[in-house]
Amino acid sequence: MKRETQDKKYRYEEIHDRMMRMVAKGVYRPGERMPSIRELSRSMGVSLNTVKQAYLLLEDQRIIESRPQSGYYVRPRGFDLPRQPDFSGPDLSPVQIPSAHISSQILSHAADPGMVPFGAAIPADECIPAAKLSSIMASQCRRQLHDSTAYSMPPGHVRLRVQIARRLTLAGCDVDPDEILITTGACEAVFLALKTLCRPGDTLAIGSPVYFNFLDMFRELSLKILEIPSSPETGLCLDTLETTLTSQKPAACLVISNFNNPLGVSLTDTKKEEMVRILARHKVPLVEDDINGDLSFVNVRPSVARAWDKRGEVLLCGSFSKTLAPGYRVGWLAGGRFREQAFRLKMMVSLASASPTQLAVAEFLHSGGYEHHLRHIRRIYANKTAAMADAIHRCFPAGTRITKPEGGFTLWVEMPEAVDSMVLYEKAMAQGISIAPGSLFSTTSHFRHYVRLNAAAWSDRNAWALETLGKMARTLMDSS
Amino acid sequence: MKRETQDKKYRYEEIHDRMMRMVAKGVYRPGERMPSIRELSRSMGVSLNTVKQAYLLLEDQRIIESRPQSGYYVRPRGFDLPRQPDFSGPDLSPVQIPSAHISSQILSHAADPGMVPFGAAIPADECIPAAKLSSIMASQCRRQLHDSTAYSMPPGHVRLRVQIARRLTLAGCDVDPDEILITTGACEAVFLALKTLCRPGDTLAIGSPVYFNFLDMFRELSLKILEIPSSPETGLCLDTLETTLTSQKPAACLVISNFNNPLGVSLTDTKKEEMVRILARHKVPLVEDDINGDLSFVNVRPSVARAWDKRGEVLLCGSFSKTLAPGYRVGWLAGGRFREQAFRLKMMVSLASASPTQLAVAEFLHSGGYEHHLRHIRRIYANKTAAMADAIHRCFPAGTRITKPEGGFTLWVEMPEAVDSMVLYEKAMAQGISIAPGSLFSTTSHFRHYVRLNAAAWSDRNAWALETLGKMARTLMDSS
């Protein structure tokens, strides 16, 4: 009986994913009618209710809409994707990173109850399984008096490393648990990976735009950077990467491969494989940040570039900060052939990560609630992301373009060029609204009129804040 | 009634501390008889039982011994302090740090149940209040569903920072809770302090010998170091410091001021004040590591050098890893006038530290059990340290000298020069015994025949390991 329920559940999600792909491929185009619930039920041999559930989800995600007495239609996509500024070319040269005090301000806003947290990419409170985690934490600490209080020396608790290795099979890789190093969030994982690969003064190739806190990190590591342009539709430009590697010799390359921060885009399997091949040819190791990989809106876990790595030169970074609890600070690094250096570095930097949170996350993964939890929050984020994009489209100046991510929970918004996002940031902050101005995501000035918004913080209660932002942006246009 | 009990308790500790000081000052000298229990009871107006308790503790610490029918006598100090190798002088110049893979091996041994952990300075299992911590952790996580799972952005949970600021008044400083940054252990605190003050290529003055993991950290930060000699009796040589600062210009100075690791010595108040004055005169900021400060064998918390800092240029680092639970990874940095840089740096390196362990430690400090716990474990460590020193004296080659620390739980042991501690390390490891060879504590070769032993791991059950070490050392002497 239980089994049958699970099968049904799986089918409704399968139908959802299949229809979503068909819309994405243009089999059904904006304005066209979708197959009726009855038709689909018959052709796929499932109950009416199963199809209804799939359609409701697609409706939640603003992919289809129901018209009374008429059926379901593919919604018109009312806004364009942000453009990819063209800043590739033969003049690409390593750049020093200017200091940015603002990024730490934005991160601090995340913990400030007086701010609407559209800035930092923090998960929604309702997506944190706090009660379950706390109960697991309590039982783990009581049962494991020694392990919860003693050092968990690098590489970290084996039970957690085994669970992570198991999950990585879903992303197409076969990683030895002994290669995995537990870190204080993905942030420390990336920090350790870069510190393992680069010396001060070295050059790092990065997908651009990039998560602003990383730019600050690169500066602290005294790295120069080469920004390889990435498109919100296809991700990293491999041609530019290839050209750049021929003329420059970066010590490493850093890419956020799935549900990119800020672009929302994932590299296709073909591009991931090609990227790994290009980097291997030039003997440049890759730091792959997969922090959002578990947050695909369709219930299929995307692959990681690491799956095509044959040389141990893709250092894969992940964390449970976006899916379970950011405050647990449980991240990890699969350091490939650099694992030993990474372990030693971890000892020098912070000796070990906290033990109780490692035990609690391991138990959460082990007890089997994680996949169920993911299915739950993926739907919420799909919904929030679509709803916020709609609202931006309504409130922001004409000509605003918005990404349509397929996972994660951030939106990358291109406003008309007259809007300086730094000015918008200051004005918004004065009204208790935190945003992440585009200027912070690059050393170039290409993203001055962009802004990244945290859709996890979207709710009807926060609609006023978005309207205020839109009004401000329009005022900035008029006054320019 | 309860109050009276507490008063009595206080009095017995006061008597213990007073008699201990008298022995230290030579008022009662080795071999001399102590006042009888009856005499002391009468002269100090306390019960016989109170004096008995004080004497039992002194006996535990191997400071006095009872002779049947005759009373208590000051024990002969059967072994000398390690010598302070003379390596100061005009030729003191900055040195690059060689790579040392062994330090991470020693730290790993700490988590290996197959090794006798005389190497890493990890606390004794019986000194970890694991049951109480776990119960506090459980209730904190349940009561604070949001705070225990959400980011605790730098500077960290305010409740914990307030508790730390209160404790710092015992060490003679008045620190604003808003200056305190919660870190992943004292290790990260020192890392952030150094990264705040130094650029790659800079020179750092350090008290030498120094905790080996720090040497690895300095290398990772691309720092050159100036080793300022420290004596096991009086600590850092201020004359050498002064001379060195006149000719060199280090970016910062790092000193472990209380119950130094490895020397066990604390700087007197006068020396702390003088050190702060010298550094201020040369405009060199101080990173003060006070990780063992709470572990004084007499129940008086020593001051920190920071107490004499008027310029915000002493960056004070501490942690609860030695006193509560190393696995909780709760440390802190009071960054003085560099606090903002340190906060930002923390965000770049690991974003934030784990929230649940911060909440648990804050509650432990708040609920008032910490002082009581300290009194309990101080006695255990005093006892273990003294007992292990005695055992070393019995087992090791003639001429071996041992520190007599007044806090913490490490012993610094000088063996005859013929014993190469690196060889001893390898041989001991093969027998399942971990030690910390002296070579790791300096870039000089002055400590090749030294070894640091973790007295927290001392127990009758581990006596065989010490005997084995002693036998190995004697064999190494004979074969040299």
Side-chain angles (χ1 to χ4, degrees), chain A residues 255-294:
Chain A
V255 170
I256 307 174
S257 48
N258 290 318
F259 317 118
N260 179 286
N261 179 356
L263 293 175
V265 66
S266 301
L267 296 174
T268 61
D269 283 2
T270 317
K271 282 198 78 170
K272 280 173 183 147
E273 185 176 6
E274 179 61 14
M275 176 174 70
V276 171
R277 200 179 303 140
I278 293 171
L279 289 166
R281 197 154 54 228
H282 293 274
K283 297 198 170 59
V284 175
L286 175 67
V287 179
E288 180 178 23
D289 180 2
D290 182 47
I291 192 165
N292 287 326
D294 277 345

Short mmCIF file of all heavy atoms in Angstrom, two decimals, chain A residues 255-294:
data_model
loop_
_atom_site.label_atom_id
_atom_site.label_comp_id
_atom_site.label_asym_id
_atom_site.label_seq_id
_atom_site.Cartn_x
_atom_site.Cartn_y
_atom_site.Cartn_z
N VAL A 255 34.42 27.94 -11.05
CA VAL A 255 33.14 28.01 -11.74
C VAL A 255 32.03 27.50 -10.82
O VAL A 255 32.20 26.51 -10.12
CB VAL A 255 33.17 27.16 -13.04
CG1 VAL A 255 31.77 27.02 -13.64
CG2 VAL A 255 34.11 27.80 -14.07
N ILE A 256 30.91 28.22 -10.81
CA ILE A 256 29.70 27.73 -10.11
C ILE A 256 28.86 27.06 -11.18
O ILE A 256 28.23 27.73 -12.01
CB ILE A 256 28.94 28.89 -9.44
CG1 ILE A 256 29.88 29.69 -8.53
CG2 ILE A 256 27.74 28.35 -8.65
CD1 ILE A 256 29.27 30.94 -7.92
N SER A 257 28.88 25.74 -11.21
CA SER A 257 28.43 25.02 -12.40
C SER A 257 26.92 24.84 -12.48
O SER A 257 26.36 24.79 -13.56
CB SER A 257 29.12 23.66 -12.45
OG SER A 257 29.01 23.03 -11.19
N ASN A 258 26.24 24.74 -11.33
CA ASN A 258 24.80 24.51 -11.33
C ASN A 258 24.06 25.64 -10.64
O ASN A 258 24.43 26.05 -9.54
CB ASN A 258 24.49 23.19 -10.62
CG ASN A 258 24.94 21.99 -11.44
OD1 ASN A 258 24.77 21.96 -12.66
ND2 ASN A 258 25.56 21.02 -10.78
N PHE A 259 22.96 26.13 -11.30
CA PHE A 259 22.17 27.20 -10.72
C PHE A 259 23.09 28.28 -10.19
O PHE A 259 23.09 28.65 -9.01
CB PHE A 259 21.22 26.65 -9.65
CG PHE A 259 20.58 25.38 -10.11
CD1 PHE A 259 20.77 24.19 -9.45
CD2 PHE A 259 19.84 25.35 -11.29
CE1 PHE A 259 20.22 23.00 -9.91
CE2 PHE A 259 19.28 24.16 -11.76
CZ PHE A 259 19.47 22.99 -11.08
N ASN A 260 23.87 28.75 -11.12
CA ASN A 260 24.94 29.71 -10.87
C ASN A 260 24.48 30.90 -10.02
O ASN A 260 23.37 31.39 -10.20
CB ASN A 260 25.43 30.20 -12.25
CG ASN A 260 26.52 31.24 -12.14
OD1 ASN A 260 26.27 32.38 -11.80
ND2 ASN A 260 27.75 30.84 -12.42
N ASN A 261 25.35 31.34 -9.15
CA ASN A 261 25.12 32.54 -8.37
C ASN A 261 25.96 33.64 -8.98
O ASN A 261 27.18 33.55 -8.93
CB ASN A 261 25.52 32.27 -6.92
CG ASN A 261 25.35 33.47 -6.02
OD1 ASN A 261 25.00 34.55 -6.46
ND2 ASN A 261 25.63 33.29 -4.75
N PRO A 262 25.41 34.65 -9.64
CA PRO A 262 24.01 35.10 -9.64
C PRO A 262 23.17 34.66 -10.84
O PRO A 262 21.98 34.93 -10.85
CB PRO A 262 24.18 36.62 -9.70
CG PRO A 262 25.35 36.80 -10.62
CD PRO A 262 26.28 35.66 -10.28
N LEU A 263 23.73 34.01 -11.85
CA LEU A 263 22.99 33.89 -13.12
C LEU A 263 21.85 32.88 -13.11
O LEU A 263 20.95 32.95 -13.95
CB LEU A 263 23.96 33.54 -14.26
CG LEU A 263 24.99 34.62 -14.62
CD1 LEU A 263 25.95 34.09 -15.67
CD2 LEU A 263 24.28 35.88 -15.13
N GLY A 264 21.91 31.92 -12.22
CA GLY A 264 20.84 30.92 -12.15
C GLY A 264 20.99 29.79 -13.16
O GLY A 264 20.30 28.79 -13.08
N VAL A 265 21.91 29.94 -14.11
CA VAL A 265 22.05 28.97 -15.19
C VAL A 265 22.93 27.78 -14.77
O VAL A 265 23.80 27.91 -13.91
CB VAL A 265 22.66 29.67 -16.44
CG1 VAL A 265 24.08 30.11 -16.14
CG2 VAL A 265 22.61 28.76 -17.65
N SER A 266 22.66 26.61 -15.37
CA SER A 266 23.53 25.44 -15.19
C SER A 266 24.20 25.12 -16.52
O SER A 266 23.59 25.26 -17.57
CB SER A 266 22.71 24.23 -14.75
OG SER A 266 22.05 24.50 -13.55
N LEU A 267 25.42 24.66 -16.45
CA LEU A 267 26.07 24.18 -17.67
C LEU A 267 25.45 22.83 -18.04
O LEU A 267 25.14 22.02 -17.16
CB LEU A 267 27.57 23.99 -17.42
CG LEU A 267 28.36 25.27 -17.09
CD1 LEU A 267 29.80 24.92 -16.73
CD2 LEU A 267 28.33 26.23 -18.27
N THR A 268 25.27 22.61 -19.33
CA THR A 268 24.78 21.29 -19.76
C THR A 268 25.89 20.26 -19.54
O THR A 268 27.06 20.61 -19.36
CB THR A 268 24.44 21.30 -21.25
OG1 THR A 268 25.65 21.60 -21.97
CG2 THR A 268 23.38 22.34 -21.58
N ASP A 269 25.50 19.00 -19.57
CA ASP A 269 26.50 17.93 -19.43
C ASP A 269 27.59 18.08 -20.49
O ASP A 269 28.78 17.91 -20.21
CB ASP A 269 25.82 16.56 -19.59
CG ASP A 269 25.06 16.19 -18.33
OD1 ASP A 269 25.04 17.01 -17.38
OD2 ASP A 269 24.48 15.09 -18.28
N THR A 270 27.17 18.38 -21.72
CA THR A 270 28.14 18.53 -22.80
C THR A 270 29.14 19.64 -22.50
O THR A 270 30.35 19.49 -22.71
CB THR A 270 27.40 18.88 -24.12
OG1 THR A 270 26.25 18.05 -24.21
CG2 THR A 270 28.29 18.70 -25.32
N LYS A 271 28.62 20.76 -21.99
CA LYS A 271 29.52 21.87 -21.68
C LYS A 271 30.43 21.54 -20.49
O LYS A 271 31.60 21.91 -20.46
CB LYS A 271 28.72 23.14 -21.39
CG LYS A 271 28.21 23.83 -22.66
CD LYS A 271 27.82 25.27 -22.42
CE LYS A 271 29.01 26.21 -22.35
NZ LYS A 271 28.61 27.63 -22.36
N LYS A 272 29.87 20.84 -19.53
CA LYS A 272 30.70 20.46 -18.36
C LYS A 272 31.86 19.60 -18.83
O LYS A 272 33.02 19.81 -18.45
CB LYS A 272 29.85 19.70 -17.33
CG LYS A 272 29.00 20.63 -16.46
CD LYS A 272 28.04 19.85 -15.57
CE LYS A 272 27.16 20.80 -14.77
NZ LYS A 272 25.82 20.27 -14.51
N GLU A 273 31.54 18.62 -19.67
CA GLU A 273 32.58 17.71 -20.16
C GLU A 273 33.63 18.48 -20.96
O GLU A 273 34.84 18.28 -20.80
CB GLU A 273 31.93 16.63 -21.03
CG GLU A 273 32.91 15.58 -21.49
CD GLU A 273 32.24 14.46 -22.30
OE1 GLU A 273 31.02 14.57 -22.59
OE2 GLU A 273 32.94 13.50 -22.64
N GLU A 274 33.15 19.36 -21.83
CA GLU A 274 34.05 20.14 -22.66
C GLU A 274 34.94 21.06 -21.80
O GLU A 274 36.13 21.19 -22.05
CB GLU A 274 33.21 20.97 -23.66
CG GLU A 274 33.99 21.86 -24.61
CD GLU A 274 34.94 21.10 -25.53
OE1 GLU A 274 34.82 19.86 -25.62
OE2 GLU A 274 35.84 21.75 -26.12
N MET A 275 34.33 21.67 -20.80
CA MET A 275 35.10 22.55 -19.90
C MET A 275 36.22 21.78 -19.21
O MET A 275 37.37 22.24 -19.15
CB MET A 275 34.16 23.16 -18.86
CG MET A 275 34.85 24.01 -17.81
SD MET A 275 33.65 24.84 -16.70
CE MET A 275 33.01 23.43 -15.77
N VAL A 276 35.88 20.61 -18.70
CA VAL A 276 36.89 19.79 -18.02
C VAL A 276 38.01 19.42 -19.00
O VAL A 276 39.20 19.45 -18.65
CB VAL A 276 36.25 18.52 -17.41
CG1 VAL A 276 37.31 17.55 -16.91
CG2 VAL A 276 35.31 18.90 -16.28
N ARG A 277 37.63 19.13 -20.28
CA ARG A 277 38.63 18.74 -21.27
C ARG A 277 39.56 19.92 -21.59
O ARG A 277 40.79 19.76 -21.65
CB ARG A 277 37.94 18.24 -22.53
CG ARG A 277 38.86 17.38 -23.38
CD ARG A 277 38.15 16.85 -24.64
NE ARG A 277 36.95 16.09 -24.34
CZ ARG A 277 35.81 16.17 -25.04
NH1 ARG A 277 35.72 16.98 -26.09
NH2 ARG A 277 34.76 15.44 -24.71
N ILE A 278 38.98 21.10 -21.76
CA ILE A 278 39.79 22.29 -22.06
C ILE A 278 40.78 22.56 -20.93
O ILE A 278 41.98 22.78 -21.14
CB ILE A 278 38.89 23.53 -22.27
CG1 ILE A 278 38.06 23.38 -23.54
CG2 ILE A 278 39.73 24.82 -22.32
CD1 ILE A 278 36.99 24.45 -23.71
N LEU A 279 40.27 22.53 -19.68
CA LEU A 279 41.13 22.83 -18.54
C LEU A 279 42.23 21.78 -18.39
O LEU A 279 43.38 22.12 -18.09
CB LEU A 279 40.29 22.92 -17.25
CG LEU A 279 39.38 24.17 -17.18
CD1 LEU A 279 38.34 24.03 -16.08
CD2 LEU A 279 40.22 25.43 -16.95
N ALA A 280 41.88 20.52 -18.63
CA ALA A 280 42.87 19.45 -18.52
C ALA A 280 43.97 19.66 -19.57
O ALA A 280 45.16 19.48 -19.30
CB ALA A 280 42.21 18.10 -18.70
N ARG A 281 43.55 20.06 -20.79
CA ARG A 281 44.53 20.28 -21.86
C ARG A 281 45.54 21.35 -21.47
O ARG A 281 46.72 21.26 -21.80
CB ARG A 281 43.79 20.70 -23.14
CG ARG A 281 44.58 20.57 -24.40
CD ARG A 281 43.70 20.38 -25.63
NE ARG A 281 42.69 21.41 -25.76
CZ ARG A 281 41.39 21.18 -26.00
NH1 ARG A 281 40.95 19.94 -26.11
NH2 ARG A 281 40.53 22.17 -26.11
N HIS A 282 45.06 22.36 -20.74
CA HIS A 282 45.96 23.44 -20.33
C HIS A 282 46.52 23.23 -18.93
O HIS A 282 47.15 24.12 -18.37
CB HIS A 282 45.22 24.77 -20.43
CG HIS A 282 44.88 25.16 -21.84
ND1 HIS A 282 45.77 25.83 -22.65
CD2 HIS A 282 43.79 24.93 -22.59
CE1 HIS A 282 45.23 26.03 -23.84
NE2 HIS A 282 44.01 25.49 -23.84
N LYS A 283 46.21 22.06 -18.36
CA LYS A 283 46.71 21.71 -17.01
C LYS A 283 46.31 22.76 -15.96
O LYS A 283 47.11 23.12 -15.09
CB LYS A 283 48.22 21.52 -17.02
CG LYS A 283 48.69 20.37 -17.90
CD LYS A 283 50.11 19.95 -17.53
CE LYS A 283 50.51 18.67 -18.23
NZ LYS A 283 50.46 18.75 -19.71
N VAL A 284 45.09 23.24 -16.07
CA VAL A 284 44.58 24.19 -15.06
C VAL A 284 43.51 23.49 -14.22
O VAL A 284 42.50 23.05 -14.75
CB VAL A 284 43.98 25.44 -15.75
CG1 VAL A 284 43.36 26.37 -14.71
CG2 VAL A 284 45.04 26.16 -16.57
N PRO A 285 43.75 23.35 -12.90
CA PRO A 285 42.75 22.69 -12.05
C PRO A 285 41.49 23.55 -11.91
O PRO A 285 41.55 24.78 -12.00
CB PRO A 285 43.45 22.56 -10.69
CG PRO A 285 44.88 22.93 -10.91
CD PRO A 285 44.94 23.77 -12.14
N LEU A 286 40.37 22.87 -11.69
CA LEU A 286 39.09 23.56 -11.56
C LEU A 286 38.58 23.48 -10.12
O LEU A 286 38.57 22.41 -9.52
CB LEU A 286 38.05 22.90 -12.48
CG LEU A 286 36.61 23.41 -12.39
CD1 LEU A 286 36.50 24.85 -12.89
CD2 LEU A 286 35.65 22.51 -13.17
N VAL A 287 38.16 24.62 -9.58
CA VAL A 287 37.40 24.63 -8.34
C VAL A 287 35.93 24.76 -8.74
O VAL A 287 35.52 25.76 -9.30
CB VAL A 287 37.81 25.80 -7.42
CG1 VAL A 287 36.98 25.79 -6.14
CG2 VAL A 287 39.29 25.73 -7.10
N GLU A 288 35.18 23.70 -8.48
CA GLU A 288 33.77 23.68 -8.88
C GLU A 288 32.89 23.89 -7.66
O GLU A 288 32.89 23.09 -6.73
CB GLU A 288 33.43 22.32 -9.54
CG GLU A 288 31.97 22.25 -9.98
CD GLU A 288 31.60 20.94 -10.68
OE1 GLU A 288 32.29 19.94 -10.46
OE2 GLU A 288 30.62 20.95 -11.46
N ASP A 289 32.14 24.97 -7.67
CA ASP A 289 31.23 25.26 -6.56
C ASP A 289 29.84 24.76 -6.95
O ASP A 289 29.23 25.28 -7.89
CB ASP A 289 31.22 26.77 -6.28
CG ASP A 289 30.28 27.13 -5.13
OD1 ASP A 289 29.69 26.22 -4.54
OD2 ASP A 289 30.15 28.33 -4.83
N ASP A 290 29.35 23.77 -6.19
CA ASP A 290 28.06 23.15 -6.52
C ASP A 290 27.06 23.39 -5.38
O ASP A 290 26.21 22.56 -5.10
CB ASP A 290 28.28 21.65 -6.75
CG ASP A 290 27.00 20.93 -7.14
OD1 ASP A 290 26.28 21.44 -8.02
OD2 ASP A 290 26.71 19.87 -6.55
N ILE A 291 27.14 24.54 -4.75
CA ILE A 291 26.35 24.78 -3.54
C ILE A 291 24.85 24.68 -3.77
O ILE A 291 24.10 24.31 -2.88
CB ILE A 291 26.74 26.13 -2.89
CG1 ILE A 291 26.14 26.25 -1.49
CG2 ILE A 291 26.33 27.31 -3.76
CD1 ILE A 291 26.73 27.35 -0.66
N ASN A 292 24.39 25.00 -5.00
CA ASN A 292 22.95 24.96 -5.27
C ASN A 292 22.49 23.68 -5.96
O ASN A 292 21.32 23.56 -6.33
CB ASN A 292 22.55 26.16 -6.14
CG ASN A 292 22.57 27.46 -5.36
OD1 ASN A 292 22.26 27.48 -4.18
ND2 ASN A 292 22.94 28.55 -6.02
N GLY A 293 23.42 22.75 -6.18
CA GLY A 293 23.12 21.58 -6.99
C GLY A 293 21.90 20.78 -6.57
O GLY A 293 21.21 20.20 -7.40
N ASP A 294 21.62 20.76 -5.26
CA ASP A 294 20.47 19.99 -4.77
C ASP A 294 19.14 20.72 -4.98
O ASP A 294 18.09 20.16 -4.69
CB ASP A 294 20.63 19.68 -3.27
CG ASP A 294 21.50 18.46 -3.03
OD1 ASP A 294 21.73 17.70 -3.99
OD2 ASP A 294 21.96 18.28 -1.89
#
